[in-house]
mmCIF file of all heavy atoms in Angstrom:
data_model
loop_
_atom_site.group_PDB
_atom_site.id
_atom_site.type_symbol
_atom_site.label_atom_id
_atom_site.label_comp_id
_atom_site.label_asym_id
_atom_site.label_seq_id
_atom_site.Cartn_x
_atom_site.Cartn_y
_atom_site.Cartn_z
ATOM 1 N N GLN Z 1 0.821 -1.205 0.000
ATOM 2 C CA GLN Z 1 0.000 0.000 0.000
ATOM 3 C C GLN Z 1 0.862 1.265 0.000
ATOM 4 O O GLN Z 1 1.970 1.271 0.547
ATOM 5 C CB GLN Z 1 -0.889 0.026 1.248
ATOM 6 C CG GLN Z 1 -1.875 -1.126 1.336
ATOM 7 C CD GLN Z 1 -3.018 -0.989 0.372
ATOM 8 O OE1 GLN Z 1 -3.394 0.115 0.000
ATOM 9 N NE2 GLN Z 1 -3.574 -2.119 -0.054
ATOM 10 N N PRO Z 2 0.364 2.377 -0.604
ATOM 11 C CA PRO Z 2 1.044 3.673 -0.428
ATOM 12 C C PRO Z 2 1.133 3.998 1.063
ATOM 13 O O PRO Z 2 0.163 3.807 1.806
ATOM 14 C CB PRO Z 2 0.135 4.655 -1.167
ATOM 15 C CG PRO Z 2 -0.638 3.814 -2.135
ATOM 16 C CD PRO Z 2 -0.823 2.487 -1.465
ATOM 17 N N THR Z 3 2.297 4.475 1.490
ATOM 18 C CA THR Z 3 2.546 4.626 2.923
ATOM 19 C C THR Z 3 3.213 5.969 3.201
ATOM 20 O O THR Z 3 4.208 6.316 2.561
ATOM 21 C CB THR Z 3 3.457 3.490 3.439
ATOM 22 O OG1 THR Z 3 2.933 2.237 2.997
ATOM 23 C CG2 THR Z 3 3.513 3.489 4.957
ATOM 24 N N ASN Z 4 2.663 6.705 4.161
ATOM 25 C CA ASN Z 4 3.192 8.004 4.558
ATOM 26 C C ASN Z 4 3.740 7.890 5.977
ATOM 27 O O ASN Z 4 3.001 7.494 6.897
ATOM 28 C CB ASN Z 4 2.087 9.057 4.496
ATOM 29 C CG ASN Z 4 2.623 10.466 4.404
ATOM 30 O OD1 ASN Z 4 3.809 10.681 4.171
ATOM 31 N ND2 ASN Z 4 1.750 11.440 4.585
ATOM 32 N N VAL Z 5 5.014 8.208 6.174
ATOM 33 C CA VAL Z 5 5.671 7.961 7.459
ATOM 34 C C VAL Z 5 6.569 9.133 7.820
ATOM 35 O O VAL Z 5 7.238 9.715 6.953
ATOM 36 C CB VAL Z 5 6.518 6.661 7.400
ATOM 37 C CG1 VAL Z 5 7.370 6.503 8.665
ATOM 38 C CG2 VAL Z 5 5.615 5.444 7.228
ATOM 39 N N MET Z 6 6.586 9.493 9.099
ATOM 40 C CA MET Z 6 7.572 10.422 9.641
ATOM 41 C C MET Z 6 8.434 9.702 10.663
ATOM 42 O O MET Z 6 8.003 8.711 11.266
ATOM 43 C CB MET Z 6 6.885 11.635 10.276
ATOM 44 C CG MET Z 6 6.249 12.579 9.275
ATOM 45 S SD MET Z 6 5.637 14.109 10.032
ATOM 46 C CE MET Z 6 7.194 14.950 10.406
ATOM 47 N N MET Z 7 9.640 10.212 10.823
ATOM 48 C CA MET Z 7 10.605 9.604 11.735
ATOM 49 C C MET Z 7 11.127 10.684 12.680
ATOM 50 O O MET Z 7 11.400 11.815 12.257
ATOM 51 C CB MET Z 7 11.750 9.007 10.912
ATOM 52 C CG MET Z 7 12.723 8.151 11.676
ATOM 53 S SD MET Z 7 14.018 7.533 10.569
ATOM 54 C CE MET Z 7 13.079 6.350 9.605
ATOM 55 N N PHE Z 8 11.247 10.344 13.962
ATOM 56 C CA PHE Z 8 11.693 11.301 14.977
ATOM 57 C C PHE Z 8 12.790 10.668 15.834
ATOM 58 O O PHE Z 8 12.813 9.443 16.028
ATOM 59 C CB PHE Z 8 10.535 11.719 15.883
ATOM 60 C CG PHE Z 8 9.375 12.349 15.167
ATOM 61 C CD1 PHE Z 8 8.388 11.564 14.587
ATOM 62 C CD2 PHE Z 8 9.268 13.724 15.066
ATOM 63 C CE1 PHE Z 8 7.310 12.129 13.922
ATOM 64 C CE2 PHE Z 8 8.201 14.303 14.399
ATOM 65 C CZ PHE Z 8 7.215 13.509 13.828
ATOM 66 N N ALA Z 9 13.653 11.523 16.350
ATOM 67 C CA ALA Z 9 14.684 11.064 17.282
ATOM 68 C C ALA Z 9 15.048 12.220 18.206
ATOM 69 O O ALA Z 9 14.766 13.392 17.913
ATOM 70 C CB ALA Z 9 15.909 10.567 16.538
ATOM 71 N N LYS Z 10 15.693 11.874 19.316
ATOM 72 C CA LYS Z 10 16.066 12.911 20.283
ATOM 73 C C LYS Z 10 17.166 13.811 19.745
ATOM 74 O O LYS Z 10 17.276 14.976 20.134
ATOM 75 C CB LYS Z 10 16.524 12.261 21.586
ATOM 76 C CG LYS Z 10 15.414 11.536 22.336
ATOM 77 C CD LYS Z 10 15.959 10.913 23.617
ATOM 78 C CE LYS Z 10 14.864 10.202 24.399
ATOM 79 N NZ LYS Z 10 15.380 9.572 25.645
ATOM 80 N N HIS Z 11 18.008 13.277 18.848
ATOM 81 C CA HIS Z 11 19.076 14.081 18.263
ATOM 82 C C HIS Z 11 19.316 13.593 16.844
ATOM 83 O O HIS Z 11 18.970 12.447 16.483
ATOM 84 C CB HIS Z 11 20.352 13.995 19.094
ATOM 85 C CG HIS Z 11 20.868 12.596 19.260
ATOM 86 N ND1 HIS Z 11 21.746 12.020 18.364
ATOM 87 C CD2 HIS Z 11 20.621 11.645 20.203
ATOM 88 C CE1 HIS Z 11 22.025 10.784 18.756
ATOM 89 N NE2 HIS Z 11 21.355 10.530 19.877
ATOM 90 N N ALA Z 12 19.926 14.451 16.014
ATOM 91 C CA ALA Z 12 20.105 14.139 14.596
ATOM 92 C C ALA Z 12 20.990 12.926 14.385
ATOM 93 O O ALA Z 12 20.828 12.193 13.393
ATOM 94 C CB ALA Z 12 20.685 15.358 13.875
ATOM 95 N N GLY Z 13 21.925 12.674 15.292
ATOM 96 C CA GLY Z 13 22.836 11.543 15.127
ATOM 97 C C GLY Z 13 22.119 10.203 15.089
ATOM 98 O O GLY Z 13 22.599 9.253 14.452
ATOM 99 N N ALA Z 14 20.966 10.099 15.748
ATOM 100 C CA ALA Z 14 20.242 8.833 15.762
ATOM 101 C C ALA Z 14 19.682 8.483 14.389
ATOM 102 O O ALA Z 14 19.372 7.313 14.119
ATOM 103 C CB ALA Z 14 19.117 8.885 16.790
ATOM 104 N N LEU Z 15 19.557 9.485 13.502
ATOM 105 C CA LEU Z 15 18.997 9.242 12.173
ATOM 106 C C LEU Z 15 20.065 9.113 11.094
ATOM 107 O O LEU Z 15 19.736 8.999 9.901
ATOM 108 C CB LEU Z 15 18.031 10.381 11.800
ATOM 109 C CG LEU Z 15 16.835 10.583 12.742
ATOM 110 C CD1 LEU Z 15 15.942 11.710 12.236
ATOM 111 C CD2 LEU Z 15 16.025 9.305 12.895
ATOM 112 N N THR Z 16 21.348 9.094 11.459
ATOM 113 C CA THR Z 16 22.418 8.981 10.465
ATOM 114 C C THR Z 16 22.354 7.706 9.636
ATOM 115 O O THR Z 16 22.800 7.718 8.479
ATOM 116 C CB THR Z 16 23.799 9.091 11.137
ATOM 117 O OG1 THR Z 16 23.881 8.131 12.212
ATOM 118 C CG2 THR Z 16 24.034 10.491 11.686
ATOM 119 N N PRO Z 17 21.802 6.574 10.157
ATOM 120 C CA PRO Z 17 21.691 5.393 9.273
ATOM 121 C C PRO Z 17 20.850 5.639 8.020
ATOM 122 O O PRO Z 17 20.928 4.857 7.071
ATOM 123 C CB PRO Z 17 21.032 4.346 10.186
ATOM 124 C CG PRO Z 17 21.416 4.737 11.565
ATOM 125 C CD PRO Z 17 21.420 6.236 11.540
ATOM 126 N N PHE Z 18 20.058 6.717 8.008
ATOM 127 C CA PHE Z 18 19.185 6.987 6.868
ATOM 128 C C PHE Z 18 19.703 8.134 5.996
ATOM 129 O O PHE Z 18 19.030 8.531 5.043
ATOM 130 C CB PHE Z 18 17.778 7.312 7.366
ATOM 131 C CG PHE Z 18 17.174 6.225 8.223
ATOM 132 C CD1 PHE Z 18 17.324 6.242 9.606
ATOM 133 C CD2 PHE Z 18 16.499 5.166 7.645
ATOM 134 C CE1 PHE Z 18 16.783 5.233 10.400
ATOM 135 C CE2 PHE Z 18 15.959 4.158 8.424
ATOM 136 C CZ PHE Z 18 16.105 4.185 9.805
ATOM 137 N N ASP Z 19 20.895 8.655 6.318
ATOM 138 C CA ASP Z 19 21.416 9.799 5.569
ATOM 139 C C ASP Z 19 21.632 9.479 4.098
ATOM 140 O O ASP Z 19 21.441 10.339 3.232
ATOM 141 C CB ASP Z 19 22.734 10.273 6.189
ATOM 142 C CG ASP Z 19 22.523 11.016 7.505
ATOM 143 O OD1 ASP Z 19 21.361 11.374 7.786
ATOM 144 O OD2 ASP Z 19 23.497 11.218 8.251
ATOM 145 N N ALA Z 20 22.019 8.257 3.803
ATOM 146 C CA ALA Z 20 22.340 7.903 2.414
ATOM 147 C C ALA Z 20 21.101 7.625 1.573
ATOM 148 O O ALA Z 20 21.211 7.474 0.347
ATOM 149 C CB ALA Z 20 23.276 6.689 2.389
ATOM 150 N N ASP Z 21 19.966 7.554 2.193
ATOM 151 C CA ASP Z 21 18.722 7.243 1.475
ATOM 152 C C ASP Z 21 17.986 8.552 1.188
ATOM 153 O O ASP Z 21 17.405 9.168 2.091
ATOM 154 C CB ASP Z 21 17.849 6.313 2.313
ATOM 155 C CG ASP Z 21 16.681 5.736 1.521
ATOM 156 O OD1 ASP Z 21 16.307 6.349 0.501
ATOM 157 O OD2 ASP Z 21 16.136 4.696 1.929
ATOM 158 N N ALA Z 22 18.001 8.960 -0.090
ATOM 159 C CA ALA Z 22 17.417 10.248 -0.468
ATOM 160 C C ALA Z 22 15.907 10.270 -0.316
ATOM 161 O O ALA Z 22 15.289 11.343 -0.359
ATOM 162 C CB ALA Z 22 17.797 10.582 -1.909
ATOM 163 N N ARG Z 23 15.299 9.101 -0.125
ATOM 164 C CA ARG Z 23 13.846 9.079 0.037
ATOM 165 C C ARG Z 23 13.422 9.673 1.374
ATOM 166 O O ARG Z 23 12.283 10.126 1.523
ATOM 167 C CB ARG Z 23 13.333 7.647 -0.090
ATOM 168 C CG ARG Z 23 13.506 7.046 -1.481
ATOM 169 C CD ARG Z 23 13.136 5.576 -1.499
ATOM 170 N NE ARG Z 23 13.996 4.773 -0.634
ATOM 171 C CZ ARG Z 23 13.905 3.445 -0.499
ATOM 172 N NH1 ARG Z 23 12.978 2.782 -1.186
ATOM 173 N NH2 ARG Z 23 14.727 2.796 0.305
ATOM 174 N N TRP Z 24 14.317 9.642 2.349
ATOM 175 C CA TRP Z 24 14.025 10.222 3.666
ATOM 176 C C TRP Z 24 14.470 11.680 3.657
ATOM 177 O O TRP Z 24 15.656 11.981 3.656
ATOM 178 C CB TRP Z 24 14.748 9.465 4.773
ATOM 179 C CG TRP Z 24 14.171 8.103 5.036
ATOM 180 C CD1 TRP Z 24 14.659 6.908 4.616
ATOM 181 C CD2 TRP Z 24 12.989 7.818 5.777
ATOM 182 N NE1 TRP Z 24 13.861 5.879 5.041
ATOM 183 C CE2 TRP Z 24 12.826 6.403 5.770
ATOM 184 C CE3 TRP Z 24 12.047 8.592 6.453
ATOM 185 C CZ2 TRP Z 24 11.756 5.776 6.402
ATOM 186 C CZ3 TRP Z 24 10.986 7.962 7.076
ATOM 187 C CH2 TRP Z 24 10.843 6.570 7.054
ATOM 188 N N GLN Z 25 13.487 12.579 3.637
ATOM 189 C CA GLN Z 25 13.762 14.001 3.525
ATOM 190 C C GLN Z 25 13.659 14.701 4.884
ATOM 191 O O GLN Z 25 12.768 14.394 5.685
ATOM 192 C CB GLN Z 25 12.776 14.650 2.561
ATOM 193 C CG GLN Z 25 12.940 14.215 1.113
ATOM 194 C CD GLN Z 25 14.253 14.681 0.537
ATOM 195 O OE1 GLN Z 25 14.609 15.858 0.609
ATOM 196 N NE2 GLN Z 25 15.011 13.731 -0.029
ATOM 197 N N PRO Z 26 14.588 15.648 5.158
ATOM 198 C CA PRO Z 26 14.452 16.442 6.400
ATOM 199 C C PRO Z 26 13.145 17.235 6.388
ATOM 200 O O PRO Z 26 12.606 17.570 5.333
ATOM 201 C CB PRO Z 26 15.674 17.371 6.356
ATOM 202 C CG PRO Z 26 16.615 16.739 5.392
ATOM 203 C CD PRO Z 26 15.772 16.016 4.384
ATOM 204 N N VAL Z 27 12.648 17.537 7.581
ATOM 205 C CA VAL Z 27 11.381 18.252 7.732
ATOM 206 C C VAL Z 27 11.617 19.502 8.557
ATOM 207 O O VAL Z 27 12.317 19.463 9.581
ATOM 208 C CB VAL Z 27 10.316 17.370 8.423
ATOM 209 C CG1 VAL Z 27 9.012 18.137 8.579
ATOM 210 C CG2 VAL Z 27 10.087 16.089 7.635
ATOM 211 N N THR Z 28 11.043 20.614 8.113
ATOM 212 C CA THR Z 28 11.075 21.845 8.899
ATOM 213 C C THR Z 28 9.649 22.255 9.224
ATOM 214 O O THR Z 28 8.717 21.959 8.471
ATOM 215 C CB THR Z 28 11.779 22.981 8.136
ATOM 216 O OG1 THR Z 28 11.118 23.175 6.881
ATOM 217 C CG2 THR Z 28 13.245 22.641 7.893
ATOM 218 N N ALA Z 29 9.502 22.944 10.333
ATOM 219 C CA ALA Z 29 8.164 23.348 10.788
ATOM 220 C C ALA Z 29 7.940 24.824 10.536
ATOM 221 O O ALA Z 29 8.883 25.627 10.535
ATOM 222 C CB ALA Z 29 8.018 23.043 12.274
ATOM 223 N N ASP Z 30 6.666 25.183 10.312
ATOM 224 C CA ASP Z 30 6.323 26.597 10.226
ATOM 225 C C ASP Z 30 6.074 27.127 11.637
ATOM 226 O O ASP Z 30 6.275 26.428 12.634
ATOM 227 C CB ASP Z 30 5.116 26.811 9.313
ATOM 228 C CG ASP Z 30 3.882 26.031 9.767
ATOM 229 O OD1 ASP Z 30 3.743 25.783 10.983
ATOM 230 O OD2 ASP Z 30 3.042 25.672 8.910
ATOM 231 N N ALA Z 31 5.622 28.380 11.709
ATOM 232 C CA ALA Z 31 5.481 29.030 13.015
ATOM 233 C C ALA Z 31 4.097 28.872 13.625
ATOM 234 O O ALA Z 31 3.801 29.500 14.648
ATOM 235 C CB ALA Z 31 5.815 30.517 12.881
ATOM 236 N N ARG Z 32 3.253 28.034 13.034
ATOM 237 C CA ARG Z 32 1.905 27.889 13.569
ATOM 238 C C ARG Z 32 1.917 27.109 14.884
ATOM 239 O O ARG Z 32 2.866 26.392 15.199
ATOM 240 C CB ARG Z 32 1.002 27.202 12.552
ATOM 241 C CG ARG Z 32 0.789 28.035 11.291
ATOM 242 C CD ARG Z 32 -0.221 27.393 10.364
ATOM 243 N NE ARG Z 32 -0.395 28.158 9.136
ATOM 244 C CZ ARG Z 32 -1.215 27.832 8.162
ATOM 245 N NH1 ARG Z 32 -1.957 26.729 8.260
ATOM 246 N NH2 ARG Z 32 -1.312 28.583 7.081
ATOM 247 N N ARG Z 33 0.818 27.229 15.583
ATOM 248 C CA ARG Z 33 0.708 26.673 16.933
ATOM 249 C C ARG Z 33 0.649 25.150 16.900
ATOM 250 O O ARG Z 33 -0.161 24.563 16.179
ATOM 251 C CB ARG Z 33 -0.556 27.218 17.581
ATOM 252 C CG ARG Z 33 -0.766 26.842 19.026
ATOM 253 C CD ARG Z 33 -2.042 27.515 19.513
ATOM 254 N NE ARG Z 33 -2.228 27.356 20.936
ATOM 255 C CZ ARG Z 33 -3.246 27.902 21.609
ATOM 256 N NH1 ARG Z 33 -4.141 28.635 20.968
ATOM 257 N NH2 ARG Z 33 -3.359 27.718 22.908
ATOM 258 N N PRO Z 34 1.501 24.465 17.665
ATOM 259 C CA PRO Z 34 1.423 22.997 17.721
ATOM 260 C C PRO Z 34 0.215 22.541 18.531
ATOM 261 O O PRO Z 34 -0.230 23.234 19.450
ATOM 262 C CB PRO Z 34 2.733 22.597 18.398
ATOM 263 C CG PRO Z 34 3.106 23.779 19.228
ATOM 264 C CD PRO Z 34 2.623 24.989 18.470
ATOM 265 N N TRP Z 35 -0.304 21.383 18.177
ATOM 266 C CA TRP Z 35 -1.434 20.824 18.908
ATOM 267 C C TRP Z 35 -0.990 20.336 20.277
ATOM 268 O O TRP Z 35 0.124 19.824 20.468
ATOM 269 C CB TRP Z 35 -2.034 19.656 18.138
ATOM 270 C CG TRP Z 35 -2.766 20.059 16.892
ATOM 271 C CD1 TRP Z 35 -2.881 21.317 16.367
ATOM 272 C CD2 TRP Z 35 -3.479 19.193 16.011
ATOM 273 N NE1 TRP Z 35 -3.618 21.288 15.214
ATOM 274 C CE2 TRP Z 35 -4.005 20.001 14.965
ATOM 275 C CE3 TRP Z 35 -3.734 17.825 15.994
ATOM 276 C CZ2 TRP Z 35 -4.756 19.475 13.926
ATOM 277 C CZ3 TRP Z 35 -4.491 17.289 14.959
ATOM 278 C CH2 TRP Z 35 -5.000 18.108 13.944
ATOM 279 N N THR Z 36 -1.896 20.490 21.237
ATOM 280 C CA THR Z 36 -1.683 19.982 22.591
ATOM 281 C C THR Z 36 -2.953 19.263 23.032
ATOM 282 O O THR Z 36 -3.954 19.256 22.313
ATOM 283 C CB THR Z 36 -1.376 21.128 23.569
ATOM 284 O OG1 THR Z 36 -2.548 21.964 23.696
ATOM 285 C CG2 THR Z 36 -0.198 21.975 23.096
ATOM 286 N N ASP Z 37 -2.919 18.662 24.211
ATOM 287 C CA ASP Z 37 -4.143 18.067 24.745
ATOM 288 C C ASP Z 37 -5.218 19.127 24.960
ATOM 289 O O ASP Z 37 -6.412 18.816 24.984
ATOM 290 C CB ASP Z 37 -3.851 17.365 26.077
ATOM 291 C CG ASP Z 37 -3.122 16.052 25.887
ATOM 292 O OD1 ASP Z 37 -3.021 15.599 24.731
ATOM 293 O OD2 ASP Z 37 -2.639 15.487 26.889
ATOM 294 N N ASP Z 38 -4.788 20.380 25.107
ATOM 295 C CA ASP Z 38 -5.702 21.477 25.376
ATOM 296 C C ASP Z 38 -6.124 22.221 24.116
ATOM 297 O O ASP Z 38 -7.051 23.021 24.145
ATOM 298 C CB ASP Z 38 -5.037 22.460 26.344
ATOM 299 C CG ASP Z 38 -6.048 23.262 27.142
ATOM 300 O OD1 ASP Z 38 -7.073 22.694 27.531
ATOM 301 O OD2 ASP Z 38 -5.799 24.467 27.355
ATOM 302 N N TYR Z 39 -5.442 21.950 22.996
ATOM 303 C CA TYR Z 39 -5.737 22.692 21.768
ATOM 304 C C TYR Z 39 -5.456 21.822 20.545
ATOM 305 O O TYR Z 39 -4.384 21.211 20.435
ATOM 306 C CB TYR Z 39 -4.882 23.961 21.669
ATOM 307 C CG TYR Z 39 -4.928 24.593 20.288
ATOM 308 C CD1 TYR Z 39 -5.993 25.403 19.922
ATOM 309 C CD2 TYR Z 39 -3.927 24.344 19.350
ATOM 310 C CE1 TYR Z 39 -6.057 25.963 18.643
ATOM 311 C CE2 TYR Z 39 -3.984 24.901 18.072
ATOM 312 C CZ TYR Z 39 -5.051 25.703 17.736
ATOM 313 O OH TYR Z 39 -5.124 26.240 16.478
ATOM 314 N N SER Z 40 -6.415 21.753 19.635
ATOM 315 C CA SER Z 40 -6.206 21.135 18.327
ATOM 316 C C SER Z 40 -7.158 21.805 17.350
ATOM 317 O O SER Z 40 -8.153 22.412 17.751
ATOM 318 C CB SER Z 40 -6.449 19.623 18.376
ATOM 319 O OG SER Z 40 -7.767 19.330 18.790
ATOM 320 N N ASN Z 41 -6.856 21.695 16.073
ATOM 321 C CA ASN Z 41 -7.645 22.398 15.063
ATOM 322 C C ASN Z 41 -7.777 21.514 13.831
ATOM 323 O O ASN Z 41 -7.046 21.666 12.846
ATOM 324 C CB ASN Z 41 -6.978 23.730 14.712
ATOM 325 C CG ASN Z 41 -7.795 24.551 13.727
ATOM 326 O OD1 ASN Z 41 -8.903 24.176 13.359
ATOM 327 N ND2 ASN Z 41 -7.247 25.671 13.286
ATOM 328 N N LEU Z 42 -8.698 20.563 13.884
ATOM 329 C CA LEU Z 42 -8.892 19.652 12.758
ATOM 330 C C LEU Z 42 -9.404 20.380 11.521
ATOM 331 O O LEU Z 42 -9.003 20.073 10.394
ATOM 332 C CB LEU Z 42 -9.868 18.543 13.149
ATOM 333 C CG LEU Z 42 -9.296 17.388 13.973
ATOM 334 C CD1 LEU Z 42 -10.419 16.484 14.447
ATOM 335 C CD2 LEU Z 42 -8.292 16.605 13.157
ATOM 336 N N VAL Z 43 -10.317 21.332 11.721
ATOM 337 C CA VAL Z 43 -10.855 22.075 10.581
ATOM 338 C C VAL Z 43 -9.739 22.818 9.862
ATOM 339 O O VAL Z 43 -9.632 22.784 8.626
ATOM 340 C CB VAL Z 43 -11.958 23.044 11.030
ATOM 341 C CG1 VAL Z 43 -12.358 23.965 9.883
ATOM 342 C CG2 VAL Z 43 -13.173 22.277 11.520
ATOM 343 N N GLY Z 44 -8.874 23.483 10.631
ATOM 344 C CA GLY Z 44 -7.752 24.195 10.028
ATOM 345 C C GLY Z 44 -6.819 23.262 9.277
ATOM 346 O O GLY Z 44 -6.324 23.596 8.192
ATOM 347 N N ALA Z 45 -6.565 22.071 9.841
ATOM 348 C CA ALA Z 45 -5.696 21.096 9.174
ATOM 349 C C ALA Z 45 -6.316 20.602 7.878
ATOM 350 O O ALA Z 45 -5.615 20.400 6.869
ATOM 351 C CB ALA Z 45 -5.411 19.928 10.113
ATOM 352 N N MET Z 46 -7.627 20.404 7.870
ATOM 353 C CA MET Z 46 -8.306 19.968 6.650
ATOM 354 C C MET Z 46 -8.262 21.056 5.575
ATOM 355 O O MET Z 46 -8.033 20.771 4.396
ATOM 356 C CB MET Z 46 -9.751 19.583 6.967
ATOM 357 C CG MET Z 46 -9.884 18.369 7.865
ATOM 358 S SD MET Z 46 -11.596 18.033 8.370
ATOM 359 C CE MET Z 46 -12.286 17.444 6.813
#
């Protein structure tokens, strides 16, 4: 199946095994408010 995946680690060094694979792209965030247990915005995300 088509698959959409993100990968996270505590530091960049933990992701070095994937550096040679161009399919894994770095991700940057914009300045919008992150979701919390107290706040989420499904309509905005849609």
Side-chain angles (χ1 to χ4, degrees):
Q1 298 287 332
T3 310
N4 201 12
V5 172
M6 289 188 72
M7 189 180 289
F8 301 84
K10 293 180 179 179
H11 58 89
L15 300 182
T16 53
F18 303 92
D19 286 347
D21 191 338
R23 294 173 297 182
W24 288 101
Q25 292 294 308
V27 180
T28 57
D30 58 29
R32 295 186 182 180
R33 185 178 188 177
W35 289 4
T36 66
D37 285 350
D38 205 38
Y39 167 81
S40 60
N41 184 5
L42 280 172
V43 171
M46 294 174 71

